[in-house]
Amino acid sequence: VLAPVYFVVTTAFKTPAEAAGSSFAPPSSPTAANLSQAWEQAGGGTVSFGQALFNSVLTTGAVVLLLVLTAAPAGYALARRTSRLSGLLSGLCMPAMIMPVQPGVIPLYVCLVDPGLAGTRVGLILVYLGLQTPLAVFLYAGFIRGLPTAYEEAARVDGASSLRILAQIVFP
């Protein structure tokens, strides 16, 4: 289980000649030059490693925040409403999760090019959000269905709105 981690760490501190040799041998003269070179020249010179790391953290943080803000209320509504529409929408989450992404890549790209979102962080965030929302709604709804409704009913008797119940009772 730890062999890949050992391989990555030891290779990071090897010279190129040592890295081409034995994969699992420890470095004879450890050097940190590879790390600084990777930090500065990652991405083939088009973007630094620091910029790539920043882009990844920003994109991930934005997608997770937006997923929590949109999928949690949607999952709550689907889990607690007993209408035919909520059953239909809940059932639509499954095909959206199992449908392959590849047939929609070109139309998605065309949709991103027209408003100028192709190649931007906002475009990437919107794509990730669209791809992950059905799974997040499905998971939130399943989690909320497993919770007892007694606390929610008590809060509703005390005059709490659905949004307040979600934010202060169900979600924490």
Side-chain angles (χ1 to χ4, degrees), residues 12 28 30 34 39 52 55 60 63 69 74 84 99 104 109-110 115 126 128 130 142 144 154 165-167:
S28 59
N34 295 339
W39 185 267
N55 289 342
T60 303
V63 169
L69 291 176
R84 296 177 107 185
M99 191 172 289
Y109 180 74
V110 170
L126 289 175
Y128 285 161
I144 292 169
I165 291 171
L166 172 68

Side-chain angles (χ1 to χ4, degrees), residues 78 85-99 134 138:
L78 291 179
L85 179 63
S86 66
L88 175 70
L89 291 175
S90 192
L92 286 176
C93 284
M94 188 61 66
M97 287 187 298
I98 62 173
M99 191 172 289
F138 180 76

Side-chain angles (χ1 to χ4, degrees), residues 20 24 38-39 45-46 50 59 72 101 112 114 117 122 124 131 157:
F24 287 100
W39 185 267
T46 58
T59 302
V101 176
L112 289 174
D114 289 342
L117 293 174
V122 173
L124 185 63
L131 292 175
V157 167

